[in-house]
Amino acid sequence: MNKATLTQWLRRLETVHPKEVDLGLERVLSVAHALQLLPLKQPVVTVAGTNGKGSTIAVLEALIGEAGYRAGVFTSPHLLRFNERVRVAGVDASDAEIVHAFGLIDQARGAVSLTYFEFAALAALLIFEASELDFVILEVGLGGRLDAVNIVDASVAVITSIDLDHQGWLGSSRGEISREKAGILRRGCPVVIADANPPPELLGCVVDEGASPALYLGREFSVAAVDGQWQAQLQMPDGASRMLSAVTNGSLLPENIGAAVQASLLLGIEFSDDCLAGALAKVAAVGRREVRQIAGREYVLDVAHNPASASKLLEFLIATPCNGKRICVFSVMADKDISSIIDATAGHFDGWFLGDQPGNTRAASATEIAALLDDRGQTMVSISKNLRQALRRAQSVAVEGDRLVVFGSFYTVAAVLPLLDKDHRKHDAL
């Protein structure tokens, strides 16, 4: 595939390995060694957790940049373009960079079969190796212990909130899942635990793995949000406390900001209060309680796809009430706990607009979701053949002052984002 485009490469990677998810480090580690990628030259922050990883990384990346440093960032999944997964100093990797990296990986792997995610992770490391960087930030794709990014030793580990998700791979309880997340810990390296109620199993793993110092939310560091003001008491590397505060727009959870800023302090990054304020003003956590105003209507987009994240979304909606109706555009993957997601949100929307996702075999059908809503007494439910139609139908009943909430999965938000961008351009042109 010497002259293949990025699109052609990605289509190939979707079929090159027999399993979409195949957890384990042996295959990817062997290829990383063949490419001489390890160890990394820069300090590394590895972020694991069920919810909050993307927002935490967005804040950390912004703060590092605002402080004058360059970070390489690997995240997943992407919303609109694969390139979003690999960023250098805030800029998405180019098609040419990614294609070149894929070619090197394909040559080095020999007979070793790699998954789509493993190719992506190795490509990120290759691009980082070719860049002038001060720090590297890696987001765990699934779990932690057996995730491809765990071939890299973390200088600082961050574990965000832990809840039930991906139980088929990670376990059926928060305790079992936390053991998988704790796989990113390294002896003698600090860890930031941003779950306010960590399972006892996680506490045990921190001790057993020898991660030190271990900074827990509500113990070694604390955060709060009061009237749009984020406030925190954080710990410096020498154990001293530092008080910080900044204005936020409310879309970022205080604990995720706190995890990011605490990790930056452990990295030894020096920054002023003004630097932090500047960073938070620039954070673009796309699809994470993202608020848009178009033609007098408010849109809230959130990739919430499990009961815990749906509950957090609802807390945000209640804390920031709208003047009109609250209308939902919803689609979710069939392997999620759809009943619990609906239990957490049903009764809080004046209408549900459901759309199928043709071509996405993982997506639950709109008809199946509608049946669950009907069981819970929801009467205003619309079923559409796709998310474009669902959005347009929702917009047709919305008036100025109404709020349209789009959530359920990355795929759901990704399908709606281009339509809203088009609406925004059309409205601005009037």
Side-chain angles (χ1 to χ4, degrees):
M1 296 187 64
N2 291 336
K3 296 184 179 180
T5 66
L6 178 56
T7 299
Q8 290 170 328
W9 264 108
L10 295 177
R11 286 174 180 164
R12 181 191 176 205
L13 298 187
E14 289 173 351
T15 60
V16 73
H17 192 74
K19 296 180 181 179
E20 180 181 358
V21 177
D22 192 3
L23 297 176
L25 302 184
E26 184 178 348
R27 298 184 317 277
V28 67
L29 188 60
S30 69
V31 180
H33 284 316
L35 291 165
Q36 298 183 329
L37 288 173
L38 302 174
L40 269 63
K41 297 175 289 187
Q42 306 85 358
V44 176
V45 180
T46 302
V47 183
T50 306
N51 298 311
K53 297 189 297 292
S55 297
T56 299
I57 288 173
V59 173
L60 181 56
E61 180 183 16
L63 183 54
I64 287 174
E66 192 73 6
Y69 300 99
R70 292 168 55 86
V73 181
F74 173 64
T75 61
S76 66
H78 60 275
L79 277 171
L80 301 179
R81 300 172 65 240
F82 180 90
N83 311 59
E84 300 166 20
R85 295 182 180 227
V86 185
R87 296 190 298 278
V88 173
V91 179
D92 293 348
S94 67
D95 285 12
E97 289 175 307
I98 299 169
V99 165
H100 178 65
F102 282 163
L104 294 177
I105 296 164
D106 206 33
Q107 184 177 25
R109 71 182 179 88
V112 177
S113 180
L114 297 172
T115 66
Y116 181 106
F117 181 81
E118 290 165 344
F119 257 95
L122 289 170
L125 297 183
L126 278 168
I127 292 170
F128 297 160
E129 183 185 50
S131 306
E132 292 293 329
L133 298 174
D134 300 298
F135 300 98
V136 168
I137 307 170
L138 303 175
E139 178 182 1
V140 168
L142 182 62
R145 181 175 63 92
L146 298 176
D147 187 83
V149 304
N150 203 34
I151 63 172
V152 179
D153 290 331
S155 308
V156 175
V158 176
I159 298 180
T160 62
S161 66
I162 297 173
D163 283 290
L164 299 181
D165 203 1
H166 302 297
Q167 291 98 309
W169 289 287
L170 304 181
S172 58
S173 69
R174 291 180 72 235
E176 290 178 311
I177 292 171
S178 70
R179 291 193 188 99
E180 295 298 320
K181 309 294 184 186
I184 67 170
L185 302 179
R186 296 295 190 270
R187 183 165 298 277
C189 292
V191 58
V192 177
I193 306 293
D195 189 312
N197 183 31
E201 291 86 348
L202 178 58
L203 307 182
C205 287
V206 171
V207 174
D208 292 343
E209 296 297 331
S212 178
L215 308 185
Y216 289 88
L217 177 63
R219 197 174 77 181
E220 283 77 20
F221 73 104
S222 60
V223 298
V226 181
D227 297 329
Q229 187 88 2
W230 175 81
Q231 301 171 345
Q233 178 174 321
L234 304 172
Q235 187 174 118
M236 301 293 288
D238 62 3
S241 292
R242 180 173 176 182
M243 301 296 296
L244 285 167
S245 65
V247 174
T248 71
N249 61 14
S251 63
L252 295 167
L253 290 174
E255 54 266 36
N256 294 336
I257 301 174
V261 180
Q262 181 62 79
S264 71
L265 292 175
L266 292 173
L267 288 171
I269 296 173
E270 297 183 359
F271 59 89
S272 64
D273 289 4
D274 288 342
C275 179
L276 174 60
L280 292 178
K282 294 177 180 177
V283 172
V286 180
R288 277 83 170 179
R289 302 203 296 186
E290 179 185 359
V291 179
R292 296 190 176 199
Q293 301 287 343
I294 304 174
R297 292 175 293 196
E298 182 179 79
Y299 295 82
V300 178
L301 299 101
D302 199 301
V303 296
H305 55 275
N306 53 50
S309 57
S311 295
K312 287 293 185 182
L313 170 60
L314 187 59
E315 288 177 12
F316 172 73
L317 298 176
I318 293 172
T320 58
C322 64
N323 295 323
K325 299 187 297 296
R326 195 153 57 196
I327 300 167
C328 175
V329 177
F330 181 71
S331 178
V332 66
M333 299 301 101
D335 59 350
K336 300 301 178 181
D337 187 355
I338 305 175
S339 291
S340 294
I341 293 173
I342 291 176
D343 284 339
T345 54
H348 294 278
F349 291 104
D350 298 295
W352 289 77
F353 288 79
L354 314 175
D356 283 324
Q357 297 191 37
N360 186 344
T361 57
R362 286 187 58 205
S365 76
T367 301
E368 292 169 344
I369 298 171
L372 295 173
L373 289 166
D374 182 65
D375 289 343
R376 289 155 179 80
Q378 303 301 290
T379 56
M380 179 55 208
V381 179
S382 170
I383 299 174
S384 295
K385 62 182 180 181
N386 55 48
L387 284 165
R388 181 188 184 281
Q389 187 179 82
L391 175 67
R392 296 312 185 204
R393 286 179 172 175
Q395 290 174 323
S396 72
V397 302
V399 298
E400 187 170 338
D402 288 349
R403 170 186 276 172
L404 286 84
V405 181
V406 181
F407 84 105
S409 75
F410 280 85
Y411 298 103
T412 306
V413 173
V416 169
L417 270 174
L419 301 173
L420 294 184
D421 287 339
K422 181 179 179 180
D423 292 347
H424 186 72
R425 291 191 297 268
K426 182 178 179 181
H427 178 71
D428 285 352
L430 295 178

